[in-house]
Amino acid sequence: MSEQQQFKVTIDNITIEVAPGTTILQAARKIGGEVTPPAMCYYSKLKGSGGKCRTCLVEVSKGSEKDSRPMPKLVASCRTAVMDGMEVKNITSNRVLEARAGVVELLLINHPLDCPICDQAGECHLQDLSYEHGKAGTRYEFQRRTFEKHDLGPYIQLHMTRCILCYRCVYTADQLTNRRVHGILDRGDHAEIATYIAKSLDNDFIGNVIDVCPVGALTDRTFRFKNRVWFTKPVNAHRDCPTCAGYVQLWMRGDEVFRVTGRKDEWGEIMDTPDGRPGWICNICRFEKKHVSDWIIEGPTNVNRHSVIAQNKYIGVKKPEETFGKLMDHRKPRIFMDIHDVSEINKPTIDLSLIEGPATSDDFNENGKEKK
Ligand code: SF4
Ligand code: FES
């Protein structure tokens, strides 16, 4: 049998061979690095995803070996298949960079700039996208559209105001669970993610909508306002789960497990297990296994050093030489402040992760109750 024919495609002057049917985005992911266009709606594990957000636009400067004409308009790389001899420009095209900045501006028209209080801050793809591809100013002077917050069942909160209508959560509910009760209703400026008559999403695997949501529109109610993601330490862990592969990441602070999520790859997508099982996790693993003893810890997650989550979690750090002793003639610095071994404010007996809702000063008052 003859070997399958491969197509040659050149992206930003780097040539690679891929199988026919591969999209430009997938080919660019094979090259990796900055050559890869950002993707807000495409998710390789969800059938039909892509083509909604236009952040992955690229310029095709040569259609193929047989027809070398360029494509007249920029194309969505997540939905355009490569042709043999195709030449594509991403970061080497000013048209693309200009258009992408326009897409970011459009996505931000209705998105609130509430990163300081949003749980997704630090792992929000829109935050990264606007930082890397957006412009500093805004030309928008009108009121942004706003929606009421909705609790979708006991575990998930929908903050529609932050939604960018990428459809990932709709595909997740469609393809992972046996019953979808939410979707995108209405059109244009009125379009919104909604459930019929506030029906809760209570399927075993519905928690995965939180992991696929690129922004802070779908958040974990058991984690909301509990901690900033960069203060927590992600560790890889697994458990023997009868429902899913139990292949997760624990977000810990000290011994407390604040959050459980699926493990994500460098593109922010759920990773399959090494033996090829799907990495989507069930609600029990995600929301109800919040003790270290529930898990077999494998070790710290390797965090991309460009991520804010990598803050203070460097491996092999070379610290500058300590000069204080030399200057002070080897005398120890005097401690003027009254430093206790155990903080009297943050009581060690109180597990922040177990408090329902965000912690308030009431939680730290005597007997856990506010004195009147
Ligand atoms: S809620 Fe999140 S995942 Fe769902 S469409 Fe909106 S942005 Fe996408
Ligand atoms: S990722 Fe291609 S259009 Fe959204």
Side-chain angles (χ1 to χ4, degrees):
M1 216 168 74
S2 70
E3 260 184 44
Q4 198 194 18
Q5 188 209 354
Q6 296 278 301
F7 281 175
K8 254 195 192 133
V9 54
T10 306
I11 306 173
D12 286 340
N13 303 321
I14 303 171
T15 305
I16 184 175
E17 288 198 357
V18 293
T22 308
T23 60
I24 299 174
L25 181 68
Q26 283 298 8
R29 283 188 175 183
K30 283 202 168 162
I31 298 171
E34 287 191 348
V35 168
T36 314
M40 296 295 288
C41 67
Y42 172 76
Y43 203 93
S44 64
K45 296 184 169 66
L46 298 172
K47 266 190 250 111
S49 67
K52 319 278 189 301
C53 70
R54 321 307 284 178
T55 49
C56 66
L57 288 178
V58 291
E59 179 180 333
V60 177
S61 51
K62 178 179 170 192
S64 68
E65 212 51 74
K66 289 196 183 120
D67 181 354
S68 62
R69 284 176 301 170
M71 291 193 183
K73 289 185 180 173
L74 303 183
V75 296
S77 60
C78 68
R79 280 295 183 93
T80 311
V82 298
M83 301 296 284
D84 194 26
M86 184 183 258
E87 284 176 18
V88 179
K89 289 180 175 178
N90 177 26
I91 48 171
T92 50
S93 162
N94 283 336
R95 273 173 77 202
V96 168
L97 300 182
E98 192 60 26
R100 197 164 286 149
V103 171
V104 177
E105 194 176 8
L106 181 77
L107 288 175
L108 289 177
I109 275 182
N110 277 314
H111 191 88
L113 298 182
D114 60 355
C115 310
I117 52 137
C118 176
D119 274 321
Q120 192 88 353
E123 52 184 3
C124 172
H125 291 205
L126 188 55
Q127 202 176 33
D128 294 343
L129 186 78
S130 39
Y131 183 71
E132 282 162 21
H133 302 278
K135 297 211 163 132
T138 175
R139 294 177 288 173
Y140 196 67
E141 292 169 357
F142 305 98
Q143 213 173 8
R144 288 154 201 264
R145 59 179 200 162
T146 50
F147 296 84
E148 290 292 313
K149 280 179 230 153
H150 287 297
D151 287 337
L152 306 180
Y155 296 128
I156 305 171
Q157 186 166 83
L158 168 65
H159 214 116
M160 181 57 220
T161 310
R162 296 177 184 154
C163 171
I164 59 159
L165 296 168
C166 72
Y167 280 72
R168 282 183 182 180
C169 60
V170 179
Y171 289 121
T172 306
D174 236 359
Q175 292 167 29
L176 249 66
T177 69
N178 49 17
R179 196 166 61 96
R180 170 164 74 84
V181 292
H182 86 296
I184 294 188
L185 301 185
D186 295 336
R187 288 285 172 269
D189 213 29
H190 293 279
E192 64 171 304
I193 292 285
T195 58
Y196 289 105
I197 330 175
K199 270 194 191 156
S200 61
L201 302 166
D202 57 1
N203 193 281
D204 273 353
F205 279 85
I206 197 64
N208 289 291
V209 296
I210 300 168
D211 281 346
V212 301
C213 183
V215 293
L218 291 165
T219 48
D220 179 343
R221 286 182 67 196
T222 66
F223 180 63
R224 274 176 74 77
F225 305 125
K226 288 287 167 62
N227 224 304
R228 294 317 252 162
V229 73
W230 53 88
F231 293 143
T232 61
K233 188 174 172 190
V235 298
N236 292 344
H238 64 267
R239 69 182 273 269
D240 203 3
C241 174
T243 319
C244 69
Y247 187 67
V248 306
Q249 212 166 21
L250 306 180
W251 298 79
M252 304 183 54
R253 199 158 174 192
D255 281 342
E256 283 185 63
V257 177
F258 274 80
R259 181 172 71 148
V260 183
T261 64
R263 293 193 208 178
K264 293 190 184 168
D265 62 15
E266 60 182 309
W267 313 114
E269 296 187 5
I270 292 293
M271 274 160 69
D272 291 341
T273 65
D275 58 6
R277 283 174 296 158
W280 305 108
I281 62 169
C282 68
N283 286 2
I284 303 278
C285 284
R286 184 185 301 276
F287 301 117
E288 286 171 30
K289 298 291 171 192
K290 295 280 185 87
H291 293 283
V292 193
S293 54
D294 294 327
W295 298 97
I296 298 162
I297 309 264
E298 293 166 25
T301 305
N302 221 339
V303 183
N304 182 327
R305 77 185 173 86
H306 294 294
S307 162
V308 67
I309 302 168
Q311 288 275 331
N312 303 324
K313 300 184 189 79
Y314 303 115
I315 297 171
V317 186
K318 288 208 178 77
K319 289 193 183 158
E321 199 195 338
E322 183 56 80
T323 53
F324 203 87
K326 279 187 198 160
L327 288 173
M328 296 286 288
D329 201 17
H330 300 291
R331 277 176 293 139
K332 288 250 158 49
R334 286 171 65 193
I335 296 171
F336 298 110
M337 287 177 291
D338 180 21
I339 299 173
H340 306 281
D341 283 340
V342 178
S343 161
E344 284 176 3
I345 298 170
N346 295 323
K347 296 191 176 156
T349 47
I350 295 174
D351 275 350
L352 285 179
S353 58
L354 299 182
I355 294 171
E356 205 166 305
T360 66
S361 55
D362 293 358
D363 294 307
F364 298 98
N365 283 342
E366 286 297 317
N367 309 323
K369 290 224 163 55
E370 189 169 20
K371 282 181 184 162
K372 294 259 160 144

